Amino acid sequence: MDSAADSRFSNSCISDKRVNGMQVCRAEYRAIGRFVEQLRPTRQCMKTLQTQFPHLPPSTLLSIFSQEYQKRMKRSMGRHHAPDVVKAYYQRYRSEAKTRPTAPLLLELANQVDLSPALLARLIVECFLEEREASVPASRHILNNMLREPYSIPDLLLAKHVEQCTVNDCCYGPLVDCIKHAIGLEHEDLLRDKLRERSLSFLDENQLRVKGYDKTPDIILEVPIAVDGHIVHWIESKASFGDDHSHRTYLNEQFWSYCNRFGPGLVIYWYGFVSELDCQRDRGILLRDGFPSDIVTLCQGPARS
């Protein structure tokens, strides 16, 4: 998972429309989406993406790939979870484990059937537990613990193959979940540090919960600021790329609610966004791909950078 770990861890008409840094136009985003359809969530795929789109940061490409790959998995989930298909996957693994125990069997199978290695590992472990305890269905707690700690699986060969899936999947699995959580917290800390550097008074999500708020943005400014001529009362931090699907979901589940309760605000997509999505400024939502340098405080004028 080289790119995720490092974070903590084309054509001419599209190039002419490119915006800057980590923003891309919708046409280019679609071109990236078409390209990643052929890729699998492996270390090599990120090297391929960086070669094809060298103008975009690795973290932006990883976020785009992860989101597009997850959409692909959701579209095919029903097919992979059909009982007869799951049984066939498990029987194939068991058969090949006897003849090729040292080969990366689950990784090979995941690649052949176009399924996330971590998701395939989950199906195989679930089958293993059902086979071992035929009269007792595997509990979600036990299953999750075995995926987090593969060597707690009472089959060392299977444990090794499950670990291979976890380590080599850059989109799914307990390791990816931990990395994403850590990166999210890291960017929330970065946002707070930037606000303190500019002596801006604010309440963060934890402070707001203590005050009795339930659903809040990451930051509410005690004194509003202006960014690019727009008043900002709150700031939301997203350690991801803002594509049409994710942004529409956030609008419906979070941003419009924040606007109704707290007034206009700023959303920071730290890994960039589709440039055409920054079209709701008049309705109170401003998008940026980093902390703004053109802040104006209502009392003091331009804030120091």
Side-chain angles (χ1 to χ4, degrees):
M1 243 178 317
D2 40 341
S3 295
D6 289 344
S7 293
R8 121 208 87 146
F9 32 158
S10 322
N11 54 53
S12 60
C13 70
I14 290 175
S15 298
D16 291 339
K17 293 180 181 178
R18 190 173 300 130
V19 181
N20 61 54
M22 295 184 291
Q23 296 181 37
V24 298
C25 67
R26 190 170 278 122
E28 183 175 23
Y29 185 86
R30 287 171 180 162
I32 298 172
R34 288 191 297 271
F35 185 79
V36 302
E37 277 291 325
Q38 63 185 300
L39 301 179
R40 303 291 185 267
T42 64
R43 298 178 182 182
Q44 184 58 42
C45 85
M46 290 313 304
K47 295 177 182 176
T48 304
L49 269 176
Q50 289 168 40
T51 300
Q52 187 72 15
F53 304 99
H55 61 286
L56 291 173
S59 56
T60 295
L61 289 172
L62 176 57
S63 185
I64 291 173
F65 174 77
S66 179
Q67 290 169 192
E68 288 299 307
Y69 187 76
Q70 288 174 35
K71 293 175 194 173
R72 194 161 102 209
M73 290 299 98
K74 287 176 182 177
R75 290 195 299 267
S76 64
M77 202 62 73
R79 171 169 57 87
H80 292 299
H81 277 72
D84 57 330
V85 173
V86 174
K87 184 178 179 180
Y89 290 163
Y90 184 63
Q91 289 177 342
R92 176 174 168 181
Y93 165 73
R94 276 314 209 187
S95 174
E96 295 193 5
K98 295 175 183 176
T99 57
R100 299 192 302 132
T102 60
L105 300 176
L106 290 183
L107 285 176
E108 291 177 357
L109 179 56
N111 184 56
Q112 290 166 13
V113 302
D114 192 17
L115 178 61
S116 151
L119 294 182
L120 176 62
R122 186 180 189 89
L123 293 177
I124 297 300
V125 172
E126 195 166 13
C127 285
F128 168 77
L129 291 173
E130 289 174 358
E131 180 183 71
R132 192 164 176 266
E133 303 287 346
S135 60
V136 182
S139 75
R140 185 181 297 271
H141 176 71
I142 292 174
L143 179 59
N144 288 340
N145 280 346
M146 287 186 175
L147 294 170
R148 281 193 294 267
E149 300 287 342
Y151 285 94
S152 66
I153 299 172
D155 180 323
L156 290 181
L157 185 58
L158 177 58
K160 183 180 108 175
H161 290 141
V162 168
E163 183 182 49
Q164 286 176 340
C165 289
T166 300
V167 170
N168 286 281
D169 193 325
C170 64
C171 295
Y172 284 96
L175 182 57
V176 171
D177 290 342
C178 288
I179 291 172
K180 286 182 177 179
H181 181 67
I183 291 174
L185 293 178
E186 180 184 357
H187 283 82
E188 289 175 15
D189 287 341
L190 174 62
L191 174 57
R192 286 190 286 266
D193 289 344
K194 294 290 186 182
L195 291 166
R196 292 188 187 104
E197 285 174 11
R198 289 155 176 77
S199 301
L200 298 173
S201 182
F202 65 90
L203 296 173
D204 65 22
E205 199 171 15
N206 294 327
Q207 293 169 312
L208 290 166
R209 283 203 191 97
V210 171
K211 288 179 174 289
Y213 290 92
D214 52 355
K215 192 174 181 180
T216 68
D218 293 316
I219 296 292
I220 290 182
L221 297 163
E222 294 191 297
V223 178
I225 60 174
V227 176
D228 199 16
H230 294 266
I231 300 298
V232 170
H233 289 266
W234 54 267
I235 304 175
E236 179 73 7
S237 169
K238 296 295 183 188
S240 61
F241 185 89
D243 65 352
D244 282 273
H245 176 76
S246 61
H247 185 65
R248 183 169 56 251
T249 301
Y250 288 138
L251 281 172
N252 293 330
E253 295 181 359
Q254 298 178 347
F255 303 158
W256 291 135
S257 173
Y258 299 161
C259 281
N260 292 335
R261 296 174 67 189
F262 307 112
L266 167 68
V267 178
I268 301 177
Y269 283 111
W270 294 100
Y271 295 153
F273 57 89
V274 172
S275 56
E276 288 90 340
L277 295 176
D278 191 16
C279 61
Q280 306 285 358
R281 294 185 174 199
D282 291 342
R283 298 183 64 187
I285 296 176
L286 173 67
L287 304 187
R288 285 294 179 93
D289 60 11
F291 193 84
S293 58
D294 53 342
I295 291 175
V296 175
T297 61
L298 299 186
C299 300
Q300 302 164 334
R304 291 176 299 178
S305 298

